[in-house]
Each structure stands twice: as structure tokens, then as C-alpha cells.
Amino acid sequence: MGVGFLVTSTPWKRRTWARPTIAALAQELTRIYRDCLGDPLLSERLTVTKDDAGVWAVWHPAEEGLYIELLDDGRLQAQAKTSTVGPGYHALLVRLLDRMAQDMSVEWDWAAEDEGDESGFALSRDFDALQDEMVKWLAALSSHVADDESAADSESRCSVCMPIAERSPRLAGMIATPMGARTREWFADFATDASVRRAAAMTFFPWWGMDRDAAFWKGIADVLAWCELAWVPPRDESERRTMAFVQACYERAGTESPEREELRELLLREPAADAPRAGPIGYRRGTCTYPLFGGWTVELPGHFQTDVLNDGGNLQLHDGRRAVYVSALKVDGLDAGSAIDKVIGDTQAERWSDHHVMGAAYWDESELETSRHLMTSVAVDGRLLLLTITVEEGEDDAAWAWKTAHSAFHPDLAST
């Protein structure tokens, strides 16, 4: 569900001696996209990747990406969902396809049956009407959210339009969006009160207008501040680049705020195993749900980093002081209890059961180490999760380790 487009071009005819290829498409799209962005700061975020059929292009932190497929007969098929970012992003992509048509000598068939621009903008070029279509879509979505009783559950994990990430915020009775957490009542008001919709839409979509004005730059910065920043001193070059980019966007927006001052401070500090302090913005300041292997999840502080180990066979999630080492196995033919018994044997362990999920854990303590390891096995019928939760000697860390062990979860296999 969302606003976007699907459109196909006439065949792309390169020079007579050079047939169209995905590699050439990626090269052309990169060049044209950078020209359309027209800003070195934005171009640094542009990522163009290839698969067997076409090319993905991504730069805005709230987008799902533009995908252009190279069909067997040389035609190009472009598609994107734009309602995660807003009208300004939609208009940019249409202008980008205009530029591709000009530079690559193709024509896009916006009037084709079963294809086209759902908002009508590609044919009308009426930006006000495009904004109205985005508002209508958000009203329909809001009605659905307001009617969803699970969205009011304090234990729910509801989100709307969130970018794909390696973690999702764990909120109590709130709904995550790229521009911040909202209540179910916010969506109910949007669905029922037409008088508030346009003003509310300006706060929901990261790019509401057509121009790259102060609201545009603040929108990009806010999405990253909410969804990506860990709000600790940067621990690697990737975190430092993202934090510096957010700071630059806030500077272009020209507004002072507590988060902008906090960013200045964090960029000057050395990496440390500190948790982020409380603040008005940032899902990673709180608890997040981390996907593991095979449908398993675990609840951890949002500022944890994830490392893939052993050619993808294991994960380690950590903050420099605490760590969780992860393995997952299929144990066909074994129920949950039998799988755990095979792992722990005669070892004395604390056991627990939560419907279809069973767990057991015990401390493995070495006199040669100052750390403690909570050896955890969690299982559902046919699947086993092994966690080594490493903490220091403090009682708070020990309690945290047990809480982490009990948070491991797998959906009921009977329903998947």
C-alpha cells in the first residue's frame, strides 16, 4: 500500500556496436541521478547497485529505492514507492526519468494500461494535486491504523513507512514512523478530521514541498536522527560519516536544537562503551528488536552494533562492554524440550516456558576471566537458538543478561 509508479519505456538503443547492458544502465543512472541531485552532499549518499535483472538507486534515508529493470527486448521498466518520503521525492523521480528519456533516447509510456503514475503527476505535472494524493493515501492508511486494535497494545511493535533496518524500535503504545513516534490517536485524528490533514501531512512526510528548503534538510536529518543514529560517540568511520552528514543537514536547515548541540559534542568525543543519554529524538536510545537467524529475534539496547562472523554463520551484537554471540540451528524431528536437553545435558540451568518457546540458561564462569557468560538455549519445535551473553561482574549486568535471554522469541511455526 502506497503511492508510486510503474512505467515502461521504448527500447533503449545504444550505439549500433554497443547493446544495452545492466552495467551500462548502472553507469548512466549514476551519472544522471547525480546531475539531478546537483549537490555533492546528497550525491555522497547515492548508492547504485546491480542485480541480475536491473539496477537499484537509493540516497534518501526514508526511501525504498528506485528500481529500473532492463527487459529482454531492451525496454526499461522503472518502479518506485514514493509515499515513504513524500511529494518532493516523487516529483524528483519523475524529473529523473524525464532526464533519462532525454539522454538515453527513450520514451516512457505513462498512459499505458495497468501501469503509470498512481498520483497522476507524471501526466499533469500538478504538484498541488500530487500533494493532495499523498494526503488521501495517508488518510486511508490512518483509518486502517486507527481501526487496528493491536496498535493500541502496549506490547505491540507497530510501525508505518519505516526504512528497512537491522533493528526495529520497541515502543510502548506508540507507532514508529520515520519522522518520530506517533500515537494511535494521531492517526485517528488524521483519518476523521479533514481540517488538520494538510498541516499534519507536512510533519509526517520528510519531503513535503518541491524545493530543497530548510524543511527538506531538516526532514533528512530527522529521519536519520530517529532511525539510524546510535547517539553515542562514533565508533567507526561509517557512524562518523552519518553523524557528520546529519549535522550538515541541520546546519543547512538553519535551526538550533538540543540534538544539533548534542551532535557537535558527540563528534568531538572519543569512542566509549557508554549508553546514549535520554533525549527527545532517536529510536536507538531505547530498546530495539533485533532480527537474528531463521525468524528468531532478541530485545537489546538500540545502540548495539551488529557484526556478521564466520562467513555469515554467526552474529555478534555488542556495545564494547556487553556482547551477545548468536548461533541458530534447525533440529528437525526434535521438539523444543528435547532440543534444549541435548544442548545442556546434566548441567544445572534455569528453565522457562512461554507457550511454544522454551528456554534454559546457566552461568559459565572462568577464574581466568573478569567477564561472565550466560549460556542460553532457546527452542521451538524444530529450531534452536544459542546465545552466549557476555557481561561484567556487576549485578545490573547480570540482571540485564537474564532479561536478554528471556526476550529471545520465535513466532509459532504452526502459523508461519
Side-chain angles (χ1 to χ4, degrees):
M1 183 181 181
V3 179
F5 59 77
L6 172 67
V7 63
T8 304
S9 77
T10 54
W12 176 29
K13 297 178 181 179
R14 299 180 69 201
R15 295 173 295 276
T16 56
W17 49 267
R19 71 180 187 85
T21 65
I22 293 174
L25 175 60
Q27 184 176 10
E28 288 293 301
L29 179 59
T30 301
R31 177 185 62 80
I32 293 170
Y33 214 144
R34 285 176 176 164
D35 284 349
C36 287
L37 290 174
D39 188 305
L41 186 62
L42 298 179
S43 293
E44 286 179 9
R45 286 191 57 87
L46 176 65
T47 300
V48 177
T49 57
K50 305 185 292 290
D51 62 22
D52 292 339
V55 179
W56 284 97
V58 178
W59 64 276
H60 195 286
E63 71 174 302
E64 294 185 5
L66 168 69
Y67 184 66
I68 302 182
E69 183 177 356
L70 177 59
L71 303 178
D72 291 340
D73 59 4
R75 292 180 300 156
L76 305 176
Q77 188 173 76
Q79 58 183 307
K81 184 166 81 170
T82 59
S83 47
T84 59
V85 184
Y89 173 69
H90 188 106
L92 171 74
L93 291 190
V94 172
R95 292 196 300 271
L96 171 70
L97 296 188
D98 289 345
R99 176 67 180 275
M100 290 183 69
Q102 174 185 322
D103 287 9
M104 300 170 66
S105 300
V106 298
E107 294 181 7
W108 300 102
D109 188 358
W110 290 107
E113 187 176 357
D114 299 327
E115 291 188 6
D117 182 347
E118 293 170 323
S119 73
F121 175 76
L123 291 175
S124 71
R125 304 304 166 112
D126 185 337
F127 190 73
D128 287 339
L130 170 59
Q131 290 178 320
D132 289 342
E133 287 299 316
M134 290 280 184
V135 169
K136 290 177 185 176
W137 167 80
L138 184 55
L141 175 66
S142 296
S143 179
H144 175 76
V145 172
D147 291 340
D148 182 2
E149 293 183 0
S150 67
D153 182 359
S154 63
E155 295 299 316
S156 67
R157 307 174 190 184
C158 295
S159 62
V160 172
C161 298
M162 284 289 286
I164 297 172
E166 61 187 35
R167 71 198 73 78
S168 58
R170 187 76 167 91
L171 304 175
M174 300 287 285
I175 299 166
T177 81
M179 293 285 281
R182 283 170 164 74
T183 63
R184 187 185 182 207
E185 289 71 27
W186 187 94
F187 288 96
D189 289 344
F190 197 100
T192 58
D193 188 351
S195 67
V196 306
R197 287 179 186 164
R198 201 164 182 90
M202 295 175 67
T203 70
F204 180 88
F205 293 105
W207 192 0
W208 173 250
M210 182 178 284
D211 297 330
R212 297 180 199 171
D213 53 11
F216 163 81
W217 291 108
K218 186 176 184 300
I220 294 180
D222 282 350
V223 172
L224 287 167
W226 273 106
C227 302
E228 191 165 332
L229 291 188
W231 293 100
V232 296
R235 296 163 290 190
D236 54 40
E237 188 56 33
S238 176
E239 288 191 343
R240 180 169 293 279
R241 283 198 306 269
T242 301
M243 192 173 288
F245 177 80
V246 174
Q247 177 74 334
C249 289
Y250 277 135
E251 288 176 0
R252 291 197 181 191
T255 55
E256 284 294 339
S257 63
E259 54 268 23
R260 183 175 171 185
E261 182 60 34
E262 186 176 357
L263 286 175
R264 292 193 191 103
E265 176 192 339
L266 291 173
L267 282 166
L268 294 174
R269 286 170 51 191
E270 293 295 322
D274 297 331
R277 62 175 180 249
I281 186 170
Y283 294 124
R284 295 186 67 186
R285 296 183 194 267
T287 300
C288 289
T289 300
Y290 287 74
L292 305 177
F293 297 114
W296 289 101
T297 62
V298 69
E299 308 279 333
L300 291 169
H303 69 281
F304 269 42
Q305 293 177 288
T306 302
D307 295 332
V308 180
L309 307 176
N310 301 325
D311 295 325
N314 301 98
L315 296 175
Q316 182 168 264
L317 303 100
H318 61 93
D319 68 350
R321 185 170 62 87
R322 299 166 294 178
V324 180
Y325 186 84
V326 181
S327 301
L329 305 169
K330 284 188 176 182
V331 285
D332 295 334
L334 291 179
D335 60 33
S338 298
I340 289 175
D341 288 341
K342 278 190 169 292
V343 174
I344 67 173
D346 297 331
T347 305
Q348 293 296 312
E350 177 184 308
R351 293 174 178 258
W352 65 90
S353 177
D354 181 12
H355 302 294
H356 62 289
V357 178
M358 298 183 66
Y362 62 91
W363 288 108
D364 179 25
E365 300 175 89
S366 170
E367 295 181 357
L368 301 178
E369 298 183 24
T370 59
S371 298
R372 309 175 70 194
H373 309 286
L374 186 64
M375 312 303 293
T376 303
S377 306
V378 188
V380 295
D381 294 350
R383 301 201 181 195
L384 176 68
L385 179 71
L386 302 177
L387 305 176
T388 300
I389 305 172
T390 301
V391 296
E392 296 178 354
E393 291 289 347
E395 290 185 8
D396 289 345
D397 277 347
W400 174 83
W402 283 107
K403 182 179 179 181
T404 299
H406 280 266
S407 75
F409 179 77
H410 195 288
D412 188 349
L413 291 180
S415 64
T416 60

